[in-house]
Amino acid sequence: MKPRGTRGTTIALAQLPVVKGAVAENLEMHLAYIQNAAVRGADLVVFPELSLTGYELELLEQLALLKDSEVFDTLSTAAVAHNIVVIAGCPLISEGRKPQIGAVICFPSGERAFYAKQYLHEGEAVYCSTGNESYLCTVNGTRIALAICADFANPSHAEAASAQQAEVYIASALISEAGYEVDAQLLAAMAKRHQFPVLLANHISNTGGWQTCGKSGAWNVDGELAITADGTEACIVICAINGGALGASLVTNLPIEDSCPLG
């Protein structure tokens, strides 16, 4: 039996519109969602794959960020101000190699970490290189594993997370309507096999030539879909996890335009 977090953890899945290559504009939207997630009691908010730039492979080299980027400073400031862990999708500069499809993880302590996608979709290797290390963090005593899209299609990724005693598995992804059913079956089977809730944060915008389908949501340890967003509506899905049990509620119609992220 895996050890379980004792305090419970509330995770927000951000389903938001993203503008092609517009890092500054997308960052402002992230800040608004971070505030909304924090107000609703979330301990962690996670955004889709390449959420800060859009899934624009041809622009990866141009948009890739250094780990000391001011963009990450801004996200870190928000994490501290709102006492929330922030996971945002971004292209990362990889010295001597092609950029990586990655994520920045900002903690309320001011610390930050990074994860780079380990398994690539067909065609991605033309534009980017892979990461070689798994990533887990602990929030309120709950061990959380992070995947970026194609990671979860490779069974060894979830196997490694389970071996590292992960209690929750989060996939930050880009999934189209045509691909959703197959991916949903993979995520459901993973939850049941490894006995941890599996959460999905997906895009709603047309990005990189893909019309994405939203439907961010979560599967419980029985492999059942416990909650899903209403298609491509901009929203936050709130998932409360305690002792491996998953409770969830859907937050929609966010007053994003009225938000003052750091006020």
Side-chain angles (χ1 to χ4, degrees), residues 51 54 70 84 109 124 142 150 159 176-177 185 199 208 217 254 259:
S51 58
E70 291 183 1
I84 190 171
S109 64
E124 289 182 340
T142 302
E159 293 283 354
S176 67
E177 186 67 49
Q185 289 174 17
L199 281 53
L254 300 178
S259 296

Side-chain angles (χ1 to χ4, degrees), residues 202-224:
N202 191 27
H203 281 275
I204 57 174
S205 303
N206 188 320
T207 182
W210 297 94
Q211 181 53 59
T212 57
C213 68
K215 300 182 183 178
S216 299
W219 290 261
N220 62 26
V221 296
D222 294 319
E224 301 167 338

Side-chain angles (χ1 to χ4, degrees), residues 223-246:
E224 301 167 338
L225 184 61
I227 190 72
T228 184
D230 184 14
T232 56
E233 185 173 5
C235 65
I236 292 177
V237 179
I238 302 290
C239 302
I241 298 167
N242 198 327
L246 172 64

